[in-house]
Amino acid sequence: MLSTQKLSMFFKCLAFVLIAYALPARAVVFDPADIDGDGIPNIVDPDVDNDGIPNALDRNVDGGVAKSGPFRGRYVGDRLANDSMAEKDIDGDGLLDDAMAELDIDGDGNNDNSPLELDIDGDRRLDIAFLERDIDGDGRNDSAANEDDIDGDSLADDAPDEEDIDGDGQNDDAIDELDIDGDGLNDDANGELDIDGDGISDDSFAELDIDGDGLADDLIYETDIDGDGFADDDSDEDDIDGDGRDDSTDRDVDGDGVLNGNDDDIDGDGLANDDVNEDDTDGDGLADDADDDADNDGRKDEDGEEDDDENR
């Protein structure tokens, strides 16, 4: 029969062995700047956690079981998926994903504003996918009122030099850019009520820049209010404010919150309705002298509307 002292020694040894075998399955704290210990700082490491999956394809860029190196077989980094609400630094480079200096959120080698970057936050959902609601993975939905940098490129969505709000490689004013804020809804879709994804409805009195290009909708320099690539006075532009309603039937053509009958510049082209150079007051593509409702207030001009001559 074993003595108490020998039994105590036996259990201590057994506990040591069990702990030793359990270690590989436990997360271990390493140098946060080089979590896999391979000598390559996270900020430039193409496989931050050394799990054999390149950052561009890794669902958890900064956490996994190292396949080689000094920590082979051990779990390094965090256990937060790239799209986790709690994940604030996807590539573990020490820069928060929403920091001004963070230009490559998922650490895949493609800058967030590069045409080659199709999945900015590395969550395996393309930025243009309908189900991708948080393009830059900062924990704020793209449509949230406090999300002012949808693609995380450190340019505010309404900044004059932000030409690609959703970071899909297409300029917001390009003819083939049909979804400026990357929410899966075309800009001219009936259900698209916030074209630039700033959290303010396009027909709200508070929405002064529908396409988020940094130019107020009522500025003379703003020639494409809804950012669809068609100038507001273009004959092919039949929905100036991009609200899904044809200008010929839209009671607020330029989407400024003022009904046509009370609006001094119905089509938002920078020319007052009574300007001598304004020959299409309501911007519906019909010249005023050929339009039976030139101010598009819903009343035919021949029905005795008194203010039509004043509006033209």
Side-chain angles (χ1 to χ4, degrees):
M1 185 173 180
L2 295 174
S3 67
T4 302
Q5 184 177 7
K6 289 183 178 180
L7 281 173
S8 176
M9 182 63 69
F10 170 78
F11 283 118
K12 285 182 180 179
C13 290
L14 179 61
F16 178 80
V17 171
L18 290 175
I19 290 173
Y21 275 99
L23 278 176
R26 299 175 61 195
V28 182
V29 178
F30 300 104
D31 178 1
D34 179 19
I35 62 175
D36 60 3
D38 64 356
I40 305 174
N42 299 338
I43 195 169
V44 292
D45 195 335
D47 182 8
V48 168
D49 54 10
N50 207 4
D51 63 355
I53 305 173
N55 297 337
L57 303 175
D58 200 337
R59 293 181 183 275
N60 180 11
V61 171
D62 62 351
V65 178
K67 300 298 184 184
S68 61
F71 305 122
R72 179 181 178 183
R74 307 185 79 175
Y75 197 98
V76 300
D78 65 29
R79 295 180 182 273
L80 299 173
N82 298 334
D83 60 357
S84 169
M85 292 289 289
E87 177 59 275
K88 305 300 183 184
D89 180 11
I90 289 173
D91 60 357
D93 63 356
L95 295 172
L96 293 179
D97 296 329
D98 59 359
M100 290 289 290
E102 176 58 277
L103 303 179
D104 180 14
I105 289 174
D106 62 355
D108 65 353
N110 290 323
N111 276 3
D112 299 327
N113 61 359
S114 168
L116 300 176
E117 178 57 276
L118 305 179
D119 178 16
I120 288 174
D121 62 356
D123 62 357
R124 304 298 294 277
R125 287 190 294 270
L126 293 180
D127 297 330
I128 62 174
F130 179 74
L131 293 178
E132 176 57 280
R133 304 299 171 83
D134 180 14
I135 288 175
D136 61 354
D138 62 358
R140 294 189 293 268
N141 277 356
D142 299 327
S143 60
N146 64 340
E147 175 57 281
D148 56 6
D149 181 15
I150 288 175
D151 62 355
D153 64 356
S154 298
L155 292 174
D157 296 328
D158 59 359
D161 52 348
E162 173 57 282
E163 300 176 344
D164 181 14
I165 287 176
D166 61 357
D168 64 355
Q170 294 179 313
N171 279 3
D172 297 329
D173 59 359
I175 292 178
D176 54 353
E177 173 55 282
L178 305 178
D179 181 14
I180 287 176
D181 62 354
D183 63 356
L185 293 173
N186 280 0
D187 298 328
D188 58 0
N190 288 328
E192 176 56 282
L193 305 178
D194 181 13
I195 288 175
D196 61 355
D198 62 358
I200 304 175
S201 178
D202 295 331
D203 60 1
S204 168
F205 287 105
E207 177 56 279
L208 304 178
D209 180 14
I210 289 175
D211 62 354
D213 63 357
L215 296 175
D217 298 328
D218 59 359
L219 281 179
I220 192 171
Y221 306 108
E222 174 56 282
T223 58
D224 181 14
I225 289 175
D226 62 354
D228 62 356
F230 292 100
D232 297 330
D233 60 0
D234 192 303
S235 59
D236 291 326
E237 175 59 280
D238 56 8
D239 181 14
I240 288 175
D241 61 357
D243 62 357
R245 294 188 291 269
D246 192 280
D247 294 329
S248 62
T249 59
D250 194 343
R251 295 296 172 252
D252 179 14
V253 169
D254 59 359
D256 61 358
V258 181
L259 294 179
N260 298 334
N262 300 316
D263 198 338
D264 293 331
D265 178 14
I266 290 173
D267 58 357
D269 62 357
L271 294 176
N273 300 332
D274 58 1
D275 191 296
V276 294
N277 295 312
E278 177 61 275
D279 58 5
D280 180 12
T281 301
D282 59 3
D284 63 356
L286 289 175
D288 290 338
D289 56 8
D291 194 340
D292 60 4
D293 184 9
D295 63 356
N296 200 6
D297 65 353
R299 293 180 292 171
K300 301 292 185 182
D301 299 339
E302 63 267 22
D303 290 343
E305 185 178 349
E306 296 180 356
D307 61 352
D308 278 335
D309 291 336
E310 296 176 359
N311 287 334
R312 282 182 284 169

